[in-house]
């Protein structure tokens, strides 16, 4: 039976009926007897708009007695929220978008239909919550939402879906749970499935013509590895096999004219006396670089080209596309977070590409109760433990240590795997790697030169310093004799004939202690870091990852936190002013808490993850004396007070004491 969609919406919005059945029962889960009761109830209610009976929908605002029909409510600009409890609001109590200041003097175009509108939030005009200069007609948004569905409805400017959809649902935009209309059209993108098969070089040598394609022969067409929209016969570009790289003229111009490529050493093209440069670019394969495999050559070109510089958040978001909607719950004991995390990740049913859900449990709880946990808080605590674990050594910039027990338990592999999973699933920046360790991952240990700061063993560091500062051959031989057994053990014992031998000796000791000594842990750690393709991305975009592996995130400021937290529902405008003043006071050192304390209180993280927070941090007001932090939703509920002084005192007291209690519960476990 085909159900009228308007009837379905009326049932969802009606105040006296609930879905008590399954989706296939009755009318979309509304049982027939319940519908009859609701019709009977609504027959006694008069619509406050058209004055006729049958008004089954009521405003949810406290003490508001207005009832109305669904079509009448739409006509009178009521708002119906198609989410949560399917609340309905009359024209006096409907939610509004709060704009703190209006800096727009002129009209702006609706970013969907491009007609100019006045940038003032009304029922008919809505603003994007993620792009402050993006405005829309309500009707344009609703049409787009119907066509795009929940999977493709997003901000037309920044492509954000999470923040954008939440705000639009709050403002009464109906987003159907369906695939986009263009995805449902049969053979809608059939042309995209066709491969490009045409030889575009200036002199095509194929007698059968440019469109002739004979697989597994010299007349097979090879497409441009960069754009895929140009092609060449293998023979026409002197390609010996299909595996060789080939770029069209336009893509080569982009790659080889980039700043980084110009700085690379130039090599003479063969037969330059007989072949013009244009012919070479069109008909020869890639420029002659030092001999290497096609795969390695392609990777070098990418590193040298403009693709090398990319924003780390974009890269991690791309990695995040691997995450499936299927969820895997991890039961985590905060008192033993490392071991409980290991148990979860080692479980045979765990898949790193599944969505991670966290539930906190307590071994001392006889009732076996579990509490919903914040995934990002869990990953943040896990990264703190990893940083202080015995598999790393050093103070601030750390290298891998040699721990036989950790090697035996395969913890180096697990550490690399956990770090990769944490990054892809929205965890914090590591920020504690030494440059040497990072270079070993990217360029290989054989191409990395460690420095003295990498040595955490005091005795070994002193030995290297003594060798480097020796002034005579006699002094150098004295040091060698004194450390004879150790040097022989590590394979660095050498005959000293001149004072210049000290440099090679010091280098040998340094390389052994920092790199060769931990070769087995390094290989194991490296294998773990390959999880979800993270290591490959690190090696492709080292500059981007260096910023989060070897440097701590930038210090938080009042401006950063103010931009980070969006205003969700703020009935008390005065509290918003208090909030901004409070952030400034914290930044100026006039508060007992820090910026990091505020972020931990609200989200469980002391820094902003490279991929950002999900959901986006928000603030709201509660009629309470003290703030409340909801780490699962990254929501900070502000207290409502009469004065700013009371606001600051209550904020300081709650944040400081909450974090102190949490720290006391877990301090002796972090790094255990």
């Amino acid at each position: 039976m085909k159900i009228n969609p308007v009837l379905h919406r009326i049932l969802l919005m009606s105040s006296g009926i609930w879905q008590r059945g399954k989706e296939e029962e009755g009318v979309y889960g509304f049982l027939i007897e319940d519908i009859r009761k609701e019709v009977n109830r609504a027959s006694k209610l008069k619509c406050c708009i058209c004055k006729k009976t049958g008004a089954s929908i009521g405003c949810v605002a406290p003490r508001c007695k207005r009832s109305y029909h669904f079509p009448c409510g739409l006509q009178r600009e009521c708002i119906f929220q198609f989410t949560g409890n399917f609340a309905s609001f009359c024209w006096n109590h409907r939610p509004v978008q709060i704009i703190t200041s209006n800096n727009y003097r002129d009209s702006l175009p609706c970013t969907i239909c491009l007609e100019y509108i006045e940038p003032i939030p009304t029922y008919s005009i809505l603003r994007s919550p993620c792009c402050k200069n993006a405005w829309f007609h309500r009707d344009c948004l609703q049409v787009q939402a119907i066509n795009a569905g929940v999977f493709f409805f997003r901000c037309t400017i920044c492509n954000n879906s999470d923040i954008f959809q939440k705000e639009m649902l709050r403002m009464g935009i109906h987003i159907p749970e369906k695939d986009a209309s263009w995805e449902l059209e049969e053979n809608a993108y059939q042309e995209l499935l066709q491969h490009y098969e045409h030889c575009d070089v200036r002199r095509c040598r194929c007698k059968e013509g440019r469109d002739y394609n004979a697989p597994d022969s010299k007349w097979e067409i090879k497409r441009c590895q960069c754009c895929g929209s140009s092609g060449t016969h293998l023979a026409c570009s002197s390609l010996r096999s299909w595996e060789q790289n080939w770029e069209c003229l336009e893509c080569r111009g982009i790659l080889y004219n980039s700043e980084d490529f110009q700085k690379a050493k130039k090599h003479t093209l063969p037969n330059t006396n007989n072949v013009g440069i244009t012919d070479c670019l069109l008909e020869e394969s890639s420029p002659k670089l030092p001999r290497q495999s096609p795969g390695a050559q392609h990777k070098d070109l990418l590193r040298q080209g403009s693709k090398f510089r990319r924003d780390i958040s974009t890269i991690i978001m791309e990695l995040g596309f691997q995450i499936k909607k299927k969820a895997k719950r991890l039961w985590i004991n905060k008192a033993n977070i490392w071991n409980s995390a290991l148990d979860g990740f080692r479980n045979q049913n765990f898949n790193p590409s599944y969505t991670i859900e966290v539930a906190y449990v307590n071994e001392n709880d006889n009732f076996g109760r579990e509490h919903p946990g914040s995934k990002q808080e869990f990953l943040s605590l896990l990264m703190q433990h990893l940083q202080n674990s015995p598999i790393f050594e050093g103070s601030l910039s750390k290298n891998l240590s040699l721990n036989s027990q950790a090697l035996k338990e395969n913890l180096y592999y697990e550490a690399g795997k956990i770090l990769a999973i944490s990054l892809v699933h929205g965890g914090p920046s590591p920020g504690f790697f030494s440059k040497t360790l990072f270079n070993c991952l990217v360029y290989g240990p054989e191409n990395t030169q460690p420095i003295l700061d990498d040595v955490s063993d005091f005795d070994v560091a002193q030995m290297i310093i003594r060798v480097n500062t020796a002034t005579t051959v006699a002094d150098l031989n004295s040091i060698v004799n004194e450390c004879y057994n150790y040097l022989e053990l590590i394979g660095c014992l050498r005959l000293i004939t001149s004072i210049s031998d000290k440099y090679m000796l010091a280098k040998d000791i340094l390389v052994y202690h920092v790199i060769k000594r931990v070769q087995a842990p390094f290989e194991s750690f490296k294998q773990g870091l390959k999880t979800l393709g993270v290591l490959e991305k690190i090696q492709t975009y080292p500059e981007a990852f260096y910023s989060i592996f070897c440097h701590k995130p930038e210090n938080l400021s009042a401006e950063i936190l103010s931009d980070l937290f969006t205003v969700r529902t703020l009935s008390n405008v005065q509290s918003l002013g208090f909030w901004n003043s409070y952030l400034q006071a914290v930044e100026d050192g006039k508060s007992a808490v820090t910026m990091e304390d505020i972020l931990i209180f609200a989200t469980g993280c002391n820094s902003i993850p490279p991929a950002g927070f999900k959901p986006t941090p928000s603030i709201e007001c509660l009629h309470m004396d003290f703030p409340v932090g909801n780490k699962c939703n990254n929501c900070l509920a502000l207290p409502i007070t009469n004065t700013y002084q009371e606001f600051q005192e209550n904020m300081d007291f709650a944040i400081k004491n909450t974090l102190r209690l949490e720290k006391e519960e877990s301090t002796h476990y972090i790094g255990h």
Side-chain angles (χ1 to χ4, degrees):
M1 180 177 65
K2 188 175 181 180
I3 304 298
N4 189 324
V6 176
L7 173 60
H8 185 210
R9 296 178 190 180
I10 293 173
L11 290 172
L12 289 172
M13 292 298 164
S14 295
S15 304
I17 189 172
W18 292 268
Q19 286 175 298
R20 295 195 302 117
K22 296 180 180 179
E23 195 71 15
E24 63 272 13
E25 293 182 289
V27 181
Y28 286 105
F30 294 94
L31 302 182
I32 301 301
E33 57 265 33
D34 292 340
I35 296 176
R36 290 196 179 102
K37 290 179 182 178
E38 180 61 7
V39 170
N40 184 53
R41 185 189 71 87
S43 65
K44 304 171 185 177
L45 299 174
K46 184 179 291 186
C47 175
C48 62
I49 300 172
C50 71
K51 308 304 180 184
K52 297 179 181 179
T53 57
S56 62
I57 304 173
C59 177
V60 300
R63 300 181 182 178
C64 182
K65 303 299 182 183
R66 291 190 178 95
S67 294
Y68 35 85
H69 301 107
F70 183 80
C72 295
L74 289 176
Q75 184 181 2
R76 192 64 173 82
E77 298 184 347
C78 298
I79 280 185
F80 304 93
Q81 293 182 343
F82 294 88
T83 183
N85 293 325
F86 295 91
S88 169
F89 300 85
C90 71
W91 53 92
N92 279 345
H93 299 111
R94 67 192 181 203
V96 296
Q97 290 187 303
I98 298 177
I99 309 299
T100 53
S101 60
N102 188 358
N103 298 323
Y104 306 100
R105 298 179 180 178
D106 302 320
S107 299
L108 293 175
C110 166
T111 60
I112 298 176
C113 72
L114 302 181
E115 288 185 9
Y116 279 85
I117 54 179
E118 291 299 320
I120 300 173
T122 62
Y123 175 82
S124 302
I125 305 298
L126 299 175
R127 190 179 78 159
S128 170
C130 40
C131 295
K132 306 305 182 185
N133 60 342
W135 295 78
F136 313 87
H137 291 109
R138 172 181 288 273
D139 293 340
C140 293
L141 274 174
Q142 187 58 76
V143 171
Q144 186 190 48
I146 295 297
N147 289 327
V150 70
F151 301 110
F152 291 90
F153 183 55
R154 55 195 63 195
C155 177
T156 55
I157 301 298
C158 70
N159 228 24
N160 179 283
S161 60
D162 186 46
I163 306 173
F164 188 76
Q165 286 192 17
K166 286 183 179 179
E167 177 65 0
M168 293 306 116
L169 286 169
R170 186 179 76 90
M171 296 306 297
I173 299 298
H174 174 46
I175 310 174
E177 291 189 6
K178 69 177 186 67
D179 213 337
S181 57
W182 56 85
E183 294 287 337
L184 301 176
E185 295 178 24
E186 187 175 0
N187 299 326
Y189 302 101
Q190 190 65 31
E191 67 275 11
L192 298 181
L193 302 178
Q194 299 174 2
H195 292 302
Y196 186 85
E197 293 184 354
H198 185 79
C199 181
D200 296 297
V201 299
R202 193 176 66 176
R203 291 181 298 185
C204 178
R205 301 170 184 173
C206 181
K207 295 181 180 180
E208 302 295 332
R210 292 181 177 270
D211 295 325
Y212 180 71
N213 181 28
D216 301 320
S217 74
K218 66 179 181 179
W219 302 119
E220 181 174 4
I221 289 181
K222 168 79 175 178
R223 289 177 294 279
C224 172
Q225 65 172 345
C226 296
C227 67
S229 58
S230 294
T232 176
H233 290 114
L234 299 182
C236 296
S237 290
S238 302
L239 299 177
R240 294 183 179 179
S241 69
W242 194 88
E243 285 76 23
Q244 278 188 263
N245 293 331
W246 181 81
E247 305 94 14
C248 65
L249 180 61
E250 289 77 13
C251 292
R252 289 188 183 190
I254 295 172
L255 278 175
Y256 305 143
N257 290 327
S258 66
E259 181 181 347
D260 289 322
F261 190 85
Q262 293 294 334
K263 292 179 181 178
K265 184 178 180 180
K266 296 182 179 179
H267 299 265
T268 305
L269 292 170
N271 303 322
T272 52
N273 294 330
N274 302 322
V275 183
I277 186 65
T278 306
D279 292 342
C280 247
L281 287 175
L282 281 170
E283 299 174 4
E284 295 295 330
S285 57
S286 303
K288 306 303 183 206
L289 297 174
R291 291 186 179 180
Q292 53 186 215
S293 67
Q297 188 183 45
H298 178 55
K299 185 175 291 186
D300 283 348
L301 290 176
L302 286 180
R303 287 178 179 173
Q304 293 167 349
S306 58
K307 293 182 180 180
F308 179 76
R309 297 194 186 94
R310 295 194 60 194
D311 182 71
I312 185 63
S313 61
T314 304
I315 298 171
I316 292 180
M317 285 175 63
E318 288 177 356
L319 286 169
F321 292 154
Q322 303 173 78
I323 300 176
K324 301 177 176 63
K325 289 186 177 181
K326 185 175 181 179
K328 172 62 179 177
R329 174 162 293 191
L330 299 179
W331 284 271
I332 302 300
N333 181 6
K334 272 191 176 182
N336 197 356
I337 195 165
W338 175 253
N339 287 330
S340 56
L342 274 182
D343 290 341
F345 290 143
R346 285 173 168 173
N347 188 296
Q348 62 179 1
N349 294 324
F350 177 78
N351 187 325
S353 63
Y354 287 170
T355 298
I356 293 177
E357 291 182 354
V358 176
Y360 289 133
V361 295
N362 190 334
E363 291 178 354
N364 298 323
D365 189 343
N366 296 326
F367 296 98
R369 289 170 293 193
E370 60 183 57
H371 308 282
S374 162
K375 178 181 68 174
Q376 287 181 311
E377 178 193 31
F378 159 64
L379 295 175
S380 183
L381 293 174
L382 197 56
M383 203 53 54
Q384 291 177 41
H385 177 95
L386 189 62
Q387 179 177 352
N388 297 304
S389 69
I391 68 173
F392 290 99
E393 61 183 20
S395 53
L396 297 178
S397 297
K398 295 179 178 289
N399 290 287
L400 290 174
S401 67
L402 180 58
N403 187 300
S404 57
Q405 186 63 29
L407 197 58
K408 181 180 178 181
E409 296 177 6
N410 205 26
L411 293 185
Y412 291 98
Y413 171 82
E414 297 295 346
K417 175 182 173 182
I418 287 173
L419 199 154
I421 291 173
S422 175
L423 277 179
V424 177
H425 284 265
S429 307
F432 60 85
F433 277 40
S434 71
K435 186 176 181 180
T436 297
L437 176 55
F438 184 78
N439 286 342
C440 284
L441 290 170
V442 176
Y443 308 110
E446 67 280 2
N447 298 317
T448 302
Q449 179 58 49
I451 60 175
L452 186 61
D453 288 344
D454 293 320
V455 180
S456 59
D457 188 299
F458 178 79
D459 294 332
V460 175
Q462 288 299 309
M463 183 194 307
I464 296 173
I465 292 173
R466 288 178 62 195
V467 170
N468 272 325
T469 56
T471 56
T472 65
V473 174
D475 288 342
L476 193 54
N477 274 316
S478 175
I479 298 169
V480 171
N481 291 332
E482 184 180 334
C483 306
Y484 185 92
N485 291 335
Y486 175 76
L487 294 176
E488 185 180 35
L489 178 67
I490 67 176
C492 293
L493 192 63
R494 62 174 50 246
L495 180 65
I496 303 299
T497 58
S498 68
I499 191 63
S500 61
D501 291 337
K502 68 178 184 179
Y503 301 113
M504 189 58 68
L505 177 60
K507 180 180 178 181
D508 288 347
I509 300 172
L510 192 59
V511 169
Y512 169 80
H513 187 81
V514 179
I515 293 179
K516 291 183 178 180
R517 182 176 63 99
V518 295
Q519 184 174 355
F522 174 78
E523 290 301 324
S524 183
F525 180 75
K526 186 177 175 182
Q527 289 300 316
L529 205 55
K530 289 181 179 179
T531 304
L532 294 173
V534 171
L535 180 62
E536 182 183 355
K537 287 290 186 182
I538 293 173
Q539 293 173 339
T540 306
Y541 307 107
E543 283 189 357
F545 280 92
Y546 179 77
S547 63
I548 66 168
F549 271 76
C550 301
H551 293 292
K552 292 294 182 183
E554 64 174 324
N555 293 329
L556 298 173
S557 65
E559 182 180 3
I560 290 175
L561 279 193
S562 179
D563 292 340
L564 180 66
F565 284 87
T566 59
V567 180
R568 189 164 69 181
T569 53
L570 200 60
S571 56
N572 191 301
V573 179
Q574 185 182 42
S575 293
L576 179 61
F578 287 170
W579 162 249
N580 291 325
S581 300
Y582 180 67
L583 290 179
Q584 194 59 53
V586 173
E587 184 177 50
D588 295 340
K590 299 177 182 178
S591 168
V593 303
T594 64
M595 293 291 180
E596 288 72 22
D597 291 339
I598 298 174
L599 194 61
I600 295 173
F601 182 77
T603 68
C605 302
N606 60 6
S607 63
I608 302 174
F613 284 104
K614 191 174 183 180
T616 301
S618 60
I619 55 175
E620 61 182 5
C621 280
L622 292 180
H623 290 278
M624 300 177 68
D625 294 331
F626 295 96
V628 176
N630 186 338
K631 296 175 183 178
C632 292
N633 295 325
N634 297 328
C635 181
L636 174 61
L638 303 176
I640 295 180
T641 60
N642 294 322
T643 65
Y644 170 73
Q645 182 178 357
E646 185 182 0
F647 180 89
Q648 177 171 341
E649 290 175 352
N650 292 358
M651 291 287 289
D652 284 354
F653 178 83
I655 295 174
K656 185 177 180 181
N657 284 281
T658 300
L659 298 186
R660 179 180 58 82
L661 290 173
E662 290 179 353
K663 188 174 183 180
E664 289 177 355
E665 291 176 359
S666 60
T667 295
H668 63 288
Y669 295 104
I670 298 297
H672 180 65

